[in-house]
Amino acid sequence: MANALRNSFKYGCSGLLSQLSLHCRHGRVCASPYAAVQQRNNSSSAKIKVDLDASTGVAVMWMQSPPVNSLSLDFLTEFAISLEKLEMDRSCRGLIITSTLPKVFSAGLDIMDMYGKSPEHCGEFWKAVQEMWLKLYGSNMVTIAAINGSSPAGGCLMSMACDYRIMADNPRYSIGLNETKLGIVAPFWFKDTMVNTVGHRTTEIALELGLLYTSPEALKIGLVDQLVPEEQVLTTATETMTKWLAIPDHARQITKSMMRKQTIDKLLANREADTHNFVSFITKDSIQRSLRMYLEMLKKRKA
Amino acid sequence: MANALRNSFKYGCSGLLSQLSLHCRHGRVCASPYAAVQQRNNSSSAKIKVDLDASTGVAVMWMQSPPVNSLSLDFLTEFAISLEKLEMDRSCRGLIITSTLPKVFSAGLDIMDMYGKSPEHCGEFWKAVQEMWLKLYGSNMVTIAAINGSSPAGGCLMSMACDYRIMADNPRYSIGLNETKLGIVAPFWFKDTMVNTVGHRTTEIALELGLLYTSPEALKIGLVDQLVPEEQVLTTATETMTKWLAIPDHARQITKSMMRKQTIDKLLANREADTHNFVSFITKDSIQRSLRMYLEMLKKRKA
Amino acid sequence: MANALRNSFKYGCSGLLSQLSLHCRHGRVCASPYAAVQQRNNSSSAKIKVDLDASTGVAVMWMQSPPVNSLSLDFLTEFAISLEKLEMDRSCRGLIITSTLPKVFSAGLDIMDMYGKSPEHCGEFWKAVQEMWLKLYGSNMVTIAAINGSSPAGGCLMSMACDYRIMADNPRYSIGLNETKLGIVAPFWFKDTMVNTVGHRTTEIALELGLLYTSPEALKIGLVDQLVPEEQVLTTATETMTKWLAIPDHARQITKSMMRKQTIDKLLANREADTHNFVSFITKDSIQRSLRMYLEMLKKRKA
């Protein structure tokens, strides 16, 4: 994988990778990550801020976990709790997800939750990744990704799980499932979600090459639905939401379920095996060595 | 759904909706709708006229049920009988479906067969809708839709069930499965047919928003195959038919079946449940109330 | 099928068909075609030449069986052996397939292996066609088709089974699954491969009409990935290979398998039935008569 990592830089991997998951993590011991998060006020928690406009029924979820909104176990736990609260709040019909950070929507899964961790930790982490996708892809709310920065790997998955994707029209921002380029493999439900979004052949070539697409390229292949100037991403999301909310909820929800249920059921039926696969892959010596080299390289680049 | 209906006008629903199914229906009592229809000469029946050119083996089916070729139980029964006759006529190899009415191909399912009717009637009606699709999507003939007007909902389904779609190049004509906008839901086999035609993602967004596409938009997403000036729709269909009939019937039929059989078998295996779902949905008080409000609104607009 | 054949010329079938499989075949008796081939040096065998560059790990497979690289039983047997050798050679990571012949990549299945042959021979032949596809579509190597000429029917299948397709930018070269036009039917796994490449609707119309696409048309529908001037096809393939080999083999192979395994497993589960179907179809009197007329017509055109 050392070769792979060198090549990932050589072949145009986003400069964003230099920041990927290199933020400080304050160790915290708690019986359950859920417990720890639940003690905070959701709206003022460290990683995610939620604003619900009661007059429109639209919530905005701000991802605000510097430097790159990595999807750590803590982040994902907060995300799941926030989403579930909104899902059960009958006054909330629509959700816009966006980032408060410059240049990045989300850099994807947090490598620090995969490197040097016990199999138990890796398993917990993976279940949280599954949970994020299951809740978001199957949400009864209208979900719009307001992608105001780069969105590789898990950030791309999160975007694809929404109903609609609006991205900043900036060719320096990229999006895609680039796992292969890092020597790891997107699991079947990442793949299924992408096939549902851009079709079989585009997914095949994207996943085999671990391609990151600039925003214009992403629009062209249908990975995002619309490009607007960066300062208009959120306002366009809000306007688009109005159009979606004009559709009767009940009919739209049944229709959405009809389109997505089969894909969701496939993970539900294989969730244990999928977790087991991830844990046994990521805890391999060779993969751990590669992750260490990758982290060291990122540190050097940062220095 | 009152909101939904207001919004459907607000958000650009076709003006055609103002006419939708607002035609007079002469009550008629008969033991079986089939019996009643069979007594008429097929070629001179009220709702459908069939011209078979023995020299070319091509039949043209003219839909001529004013004002908007609504797919009523009577219409669908005539349609199924006409189609079956042609299917069994070995001299007939190709079928072109078109409309004699101005501005409309077919406005889709007849609301009058869903409003204020007994569960038994609704069930009979739904079986006739299924039968139309099963016979057309699985036809051994080459089937071409000559779409010389708007074609929402069931009209779109009928078009998609053909082998090829030629539409009048007129941006005032629209086509799409817009059920959601009316607060109802396109069943899984409408969805499957659309996925087979335009792919998963386009179907998802089209069905969730109940989108109607202008003819240029429909061409762009692949919902129709070709646009020509309105006066050339039928001649182009005839020319296209010649090209299709140049292919050996046997090889083409096996190939068509290979492409469509799985989708057809899925409805055949779930036909009873699908009928049951429709009946219990459409006879709900809330849905019936919405249909009444919708009809009253249409009457006002017409007046 | 006589009609079909006349029509296939009338409706723009490639001029290449005039050469299709009209090459001399020297009868050869041997206990097993494998045995006969294995006695030759692979690199100097009559039909296929393989050059493996040890420094890059890339092999080029030259198809050199005049006049049109027909996929005969002998050719396919050599192909399978060559491919398996490379697959087991750990120094070989990538494979480029191209043709040494002017104007043609491969003209597809050899009619001489289907005409006037015993059911046993036809069955052996079909298993070799299956084997070619199974090995190529499931190869662990990066496979690139350098399509420097026309590639109808089986030649198109072979191209689609690769990871990437680069075609000469020459509108006189065509590619497609045109079986229907000849009165025969592409089997389900040809269809599945095409659906995976260009989607359901494009496949439906392509297979029902037996369409051959010029290289610009093929690019437009995604049947090939890239067009370059003819003299750059191989160099572009080599450059593209470098990009693919930058991806860690392990991650790419698992990803490729995830994309293709289901399609491969479907043939593996139905291999006997598929062979039986082919044999009983091709040995029918009517089909044999058609093949004879077709061959006679080709001979006349050649004379």
Side-chain angles (χ1 to χ4, degrees), chain C residues 117-129:
Chain C
K117 292 291 183 293
S118 68
E120 289 70 30
H121 182 92
C122 292
E124 281 306 301
F125 173 62
W126 196 247
K127 281 177 204 160
V129 179

Side-chain angles (χ1 to χ4, degrees), chain C residues 205-280:
Chain C
I205 203 164
L207 293 192
E208 288 201 36
L209 290 173
L211 293 180
L212 287 173
Y213 297 88
T214 64
S215 53
E217 290 166 348
L219 179 69
K220 199 175 167 194
I221 64 164
L223 185 52
V224 300
D225 297 299
Q226 195 178 350
L227 297 190
V228 297
E230 180 155 356
E231 66 277 13
Q232 297 171 21
V233 169
L234 191 59
T235 52
T236 306
T238 305
E239 289 161 15
T240 303
M241 183 60 81
T242 306
K243 201 170 68 176
W244 282 71
L245 292 182
I247 305 299
D249 281 341
H250 185 63
R252 186 189 50 73
Q253 287 160 358
I254 296 174
T255 301
K256 180 172 177 174
S257 169
M258 181 171 66
M259 297 303 302
R260 300 189 169 190
K261 186 171 188 304
Q262 197 179 2
T263 307
I264 289 172
D265 285 350
K266 200 168 143 198
L267 176 56
L268 289 177
N270 294 283
R271 199 168 175 179
E272 292 297 319
D274 181 62
T275 303
H276 179 77
N277 282 347
F278 171 76
V279 172
S280 60

